[in-house]
C-alpha cells in the first residue's frame, strides 16, 4: 500500500462527495446483485475480520462481499487467536498487514481501534466500536437514498440511547447536511464532543414526540448495547416512554421511514407493528450492509 492508503474508522474518513459516491456505488452493487450481473472486482484479495463482540450482519455481509468480489475473508475471534491471549494489538496489526489486504475490526475501545490502524500497513475498517458504527451508517444512508432520494436538508429523529449508532448519525448529519433531532433520557445522551462539533445539524429535545414531529426518518436501537448487559433492568426503567410506537410514527412527515440497525427487541425500543409495518425498511437496510460494504471495499482497495 502506498501513501494514499485510507482507513475507515469514522464517518469523517470520507468527504461528503466520497460518502455520496459510495452510497451510489452501493446502489449499483444492489441492482447488479438483483439482476445476477455482479463482477469479481477484487480477485485474490483477502479481508481479515477481527470480532471481539458478537455479530450476524456485519460478519456475514463482509464475508459474502469478499466472496462475490472474487476475494476471501478470514474470521478471527479472540477465543482462538493470540489476540485473546494478550498479543499487543500493534503486533497483530503488523503481522496481519504482511498477509491480508484489508482488515475489519469490531471491538470495544475506539482508541484501541485507532492504535491498531496506526500500526497497520493496510486499510482498517471500523466494524463497530463503543463510539461509532460507520459501516451501518453507509447502509442506512444507502437505504434512505434508495427509498426517498438525497438526505440533504431532511429531518431525522433519533429515539432512545445516545449510543454508537446515535454518535454515527450525529457525524453523518454534519457531513451530508441533514437535521438530526435526538430524544434520549437524561443520563443517556450521545457523545458531547461529537454533538458540539455537529453544531446546528444535531440537537437534543425533551420528548420523543418533539423529535418525531415532521421527521422523514425515525431511527432507534437497543437500550442496552453489547457490553452493557448488566444494566438491562436499570435501562428498561430509564427508557420507558422511549419505545417507537404507531402513535409516535403518526407525528412524522408524509412517507417517513423507520430504521433499526438490528438486532431488535420488539416491545422494548420498538413495537412490532412499527418494525414489521409498512413504514419500516429494516430488511432493505440489513441487506444494504452487503452492497454498501462492497462499495467501501472497492473504494479502499482500488481508489483510496
Ligand atoms: N447491525 C449490526 O451491526 O448487526 P450485527 O451485530 O449482527 O453485525
Ligand atoms: N448499539 C448496538 C449496535 C449493534 C449492532 C451495540 O453496540 O450493541
Amino acid at each position: 500500500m502506498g501513501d494514499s492508503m485510507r482507513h475507515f474508522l469514522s464517518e469523517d474518513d470520507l468527504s461528503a462527495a466520497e460518502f455520496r459516491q459510495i452510497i451510489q456505488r452501493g446502489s449499483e452493487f444492489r441492482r447488479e446483485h438483483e439482476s445476477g450481473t455482479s463482477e469479481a472486482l477484487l480477485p485474490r484479495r483477502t479481508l481479515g475480520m477481527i470480532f471481539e463482540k458478537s455479530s450476524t450482519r456485519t460478519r456475514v455481509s463482509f464475508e459474502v462481499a469478499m466472496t462475490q468480489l472474487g476475494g476471501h475473508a478470514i474470521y478471527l475471534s479472540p477465543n482462538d487467536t493470540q489476540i485473546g491471549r494478550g498479543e499487543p494489538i500493534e503486533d497483530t496489526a503488523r503481522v496481519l498487514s504482511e498477509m491480508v489486504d484489508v482488515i475489519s475490526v469490531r471491538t470495544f475501545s475506539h482508541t484501541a481501534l485507532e492504535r491498531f490502524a496506526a500500526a497497520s500497513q493496510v486499510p482498517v475498517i471500523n466494524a463497530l466500536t463503543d463510539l461509532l458504527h460507520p459501516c451501518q451508517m453507509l447502509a442506512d444512508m444507502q437505504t434512505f437514498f434508495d427509498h426517498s432520494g438525497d438526505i440533504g436538508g431532511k429531518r431525522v429523529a433519533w429515539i432512545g440511547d445516545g449510543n454508537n449508532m446515535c454518535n454515527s448519525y450525529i457525524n453523518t448529519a454534519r457531513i451530508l447536511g441533514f437535521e438530526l433531532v435526538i430524544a434520549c433520557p437524561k443520563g443517556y445522551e450521545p457523545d458531547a464532543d461529537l454533538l458540539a462539533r455537529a453544531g446546528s445539524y444535531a440537537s437534543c429535545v425533551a420528548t420523543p414526540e418533539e423529535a418525531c414531529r415532521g421527521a422523514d426518518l425515525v431511527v432507534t436501537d437497543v437500550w442496552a448495547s453489547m457490553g452493557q448487559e448488566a444494566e438491562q433492568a436499570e435501562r428498561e426503567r430509564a427508557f420507558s416512554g422511549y419505545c417507537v410506537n404507531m402513535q409516535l410514527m403518526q407525528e412524522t412527515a408524509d412517507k417517513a421511514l423507520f430504521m433499526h440497525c438490528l438486532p431488535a427487541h420488539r416491545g422494548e425500543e420498538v413495537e412490532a407493528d412499527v418494525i414489521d409495518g409498512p413504514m419500516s425498511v429494516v430488511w432493505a437496510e440489513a441487506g444494504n450492509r452487503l452492497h454498501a460494504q462492497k462499495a467501501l471495499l472497492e473504494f479502499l482497495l482500488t481508489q483510496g
Side-chain angles (χ1 to χ4, degrees):
M1 280 284 161
D3 290 343
S4 63
M5 182 184 78
R6 303 274 294 266
H7 298 304
F8 185 56
L9 309 185
S10 153
E11 295 75 17
D12 277 310
D13 288 327
L14 299 176
S15 68
E18 289 167 340
F19 208 125
R20 285 189 166 85
Q21 178 196 324
I22 288 175
I23 291 168
Q24 195 188 352
R25 191 72 181 117
S27 298
E28 279 170 24
F29 275 120
R30 179 180 53 72
R31 287 193 290 275
E32 287 174 9
H33 182 73
E34 285 166 359
S35 61
T37 57
S38 62
E39 283 175 73
L41 297 169
L42 298 176
R44 298 169 59 90
R45 300 297 190 98
T46 302
L47 166 69
M49 306 186 296
I50 297 173
F51 280 95
E52 295 196 282
K53 294 180 178 182
S54 304
S55 171
T56 299
R57 279 144 288 267
T58 307
R59 176 182 176 177
V60 175
S61 55
F62 269 121
E63 198 159 331
V64 173
M66 286 307 289
T67 302
Q68 292 186 354
L69 290 167
H72 181 65
I74 305 172
Y75 175 75
L76 300 160
S77 101
N79 298 335
D80 39 40
T81 60
Q82 302 291 2
I83 299 163
R85 296 183 62 250
E87 182 165 12
I89 52 175
E90 287 85 354
D91 290 5
T92 304
R94 285 305 302 265
V95 170
L96 291 182
S97 302
E98 295 285 327
M99 304 177 204
V100 305
D101 301 287
V102 52
I103 304 167
S104 67
V105 181
R106 171 169 285 197
T107 191
F108 294 85
S109 153
H110 195 78
T111 311
L113 173 73
E114 288 173 339
R115 279 174 45 214
F116 184 97
S120 175
Q121 310 293 303
V122 300
V124 174
I125 297 171
N126 179 355
L128 181 146
T129 62
D130 288 345
L131 186 70
L132 297 170
H133 193 5
C135 288
Q136 182 71 50
M137 261 341 286
L138 294 178
D140 282 25
M141 292 301 99
Q142 186 187 324
T143 309
F144 189 92
F145 279 55
D146 281 351
H147 285 81
S148 308
D150 198 303
I151 200 162
K154 302 280 188 188
R155 183 178 161 104
V156 178
W158 176 272
I159 310 299
D161 192 18
N163 62 13
N164 44 10
M165 277 306 302
C166 182
N167 290 333
S168 278
Y169 263 89
I170 292 171
N171 282 346
T172 310
R174 170 174 43 76
I175 296 165
L176 296 184
F178 59 85
E179 181 192 8
L180 181 68
V181 190
I182 302 162
C184 298
K186 229 180 164 34
Y188 296 94
E189 291 89 359
D191 185 274
D193 292 339
L194 295 184
L195 193 59
R197 212 175 145 211
S200 60
Y201 288 110
S203 58
C204 291
V205 294
T207 64
E209 287 75 14
E210 205 179 328
C212 286
R213 209 158 293 147
D216 301 290
L217 167 65
V218 176
V219 197
T220 190
D221 188 12
V222 291
W223 290 342
S225 284
M226 290 181 274
Q228 298 171 334
E229 289 78 6
E231 299 170 28
Q232 178 69 28
E234 180 189 333
R235 283 172 169 266
E236 277 177 31
R237 280 192 296 276
F239 285 87
S240 80
Y242 285 80
C243 176
V244 178
N245 55 28
M246 278 315 287
Q247 210 178 322
L248 268 184
M249 292 305 288
Q250 271 150 22
E251 299 285 335
T252 61
D254 193 30
K255 300 201 175 81
L257 304 175
F258 171 79
M259 290 191 203
H260 187 312
C261 65
L262 307 177
H265 295 84
R266 288 170 178 76
E268 286 185 31
E269 74 274 8
V270 60
E271 291 295 1
D273 57 357
V274 172
I275 194 167
D276 299 320
M279 296 162 103
S280 171
V281 288
V282 295
W283 310 122
E285 180 188 4
N288 281 336
R289 295 295 305 277
L290 169 63
H291 312 302
Q293 285 157 209
K294 280 166 92 169
L296 175 69
L297 288 162
E298 180 190 45
F299 176 81
L300 293 176
L301 289 174
T302 66
Q303 302 171 49

